[in-house]
Amino acid sequence: MSPAELAQRAIEQMGLSAPDIRLAPPATSPHGATVGFPVWMWSGRSEATTGPVTRTASAGAISVTATARLAHITWSMGDGSSVRCDGPGTPFSDSRAGEASPTCGHVYRAKAPGGAFPVAATGHWEIRWSGGGQSDFRTMDLTSTARLPVREVRTLNTDPRGTERCRSPPPRRSSRPLRARATRRRPLRCARRADDARNCWC
């Protein structure tokens, strides 16, 4: 058996895996992420998902040792954005709610048309081996997927008494002279949509 074949055997013994996707907000949340707010991405840490991993394979007098290290993760966020993160990323903690991830994050600018964006995380591995008087370098890409709901939250203005109000649109420009006229507050009207949200207008 050649050193290259032994290297392949050593790599197969590693059991390398695609990233163990972790998101904050989590993909399992019924509401998911919110437009304009930071999303944290990272991989669960284990020898198989983040490394480094070292294995040795032998045949007769020849022994080959291979070591695999996770170089970086490329995140495809489903909205056309791709984020490269060096290493597995930083796990989220409640004490940092509202903050952006220091190493791996994303902000959605629009809600998901189908309710959720498909998220793919590709781990890029670098593998070096040596033995039997030979050495080499190779790469391996492994991908895992998830779906993250992304919603948009809109707010209405309130007056000091706590009642809902909406702003009037800006005045249109006109070449005709302006005439003074009485103004009055227009009531706010709302209609409930199928998704249990409300459309309000003046």
Side-chain angles (χ1 to χ4, degrees), residues 19-24 39-46 49-50 70-75 83-93 96 100-106 121-123:
D20 178 10
I21 292 180
R22 306 291 177 89
L23 301 168
V39 175
W40 290 49
M41 301 100 70
W42 72 98
S43 172
R45 287 163 168 76
S46 69
T49 57
T50 58
L70 178 67
H72 63 275
I73 298 176
T74 300
W75 295 80
V83 182
R84 170 177 167 151
C85 300
D86 294 329
T90 303
F92 174 78
S93 62
R96 307 187 73 172
S101 168
T103 57
C104 191
H106 180 63
T122 301

Side-chain angles (χ1 to χ4, degrees), residues 18-184:
D20 178 10
I21 292 180
R22 306 291 177 89
L23 301 168
T28 55
S29 167
H31 302 298
T34 301
V35 171
F37 287 83
V39 175
W40 290 49
M41 301 100 70
W42 72 98
S43 172
R45 287 163 168 76
S46 69
E47 185 181 62
T49 57
T50 58
V53 189
T54 299
R55 295 290 185 272
T56 298
S58 302
I62 301 176
S63 291
V64 172
T65 298
T67 299
R69 299 180 184 276
L70 178 67
H72 63 275
I73 298 176
T74 300
W75 295 80
S76 175
M77 303 309 297
D79 61 348
S81 300
S82 179
V83 182
R84 170 177 167 151
C85 300
D86 294 329
T90 303
F92 174 78
S93 62
D94 291 338
S95 63
R96 307 187 73 172
E99 299 179 13
S101 168
T103 57
C104 191
H106 180 63
V107 175
Y108 285 99
R109 300 302 179 186
K111 64 181 180 180
F117 282 117
V119 176
T122 301
H124 303 276
W125 291 85
E126 295 179 348
I127 306 170
R128 289 177 169 83
W129 65 265
S130 62
Q134 298 181 22
S135 64
D136 202 356
F137 169 82
R138 67 176 66 178
T139 60
M140 182 183 295
D141 295 339
L142 299 171
T143 302
S144 54
T145 60
R147 293 184 63 83
L148 179 63
V150 178
R151 63 174 181 167
E152 184 177 19
V153 176
R154 296 183 179 181
T155 59
L156 292 171
N157 296 321
T158 59
D159 64 18
R161 293 169 294 180
T163 57
E164 295 175 332
R165 298 178 58 186
C166 61
R167 293 180 179 177
S168 300
R172 292 179 297 178
R173 294 183 178 180
S174 174
S175 59
R176 293 181 297 178
L178 296 176
R179 292 182 299 172
R181 62 179 181 178
T183 60
R184 62 187 179 88

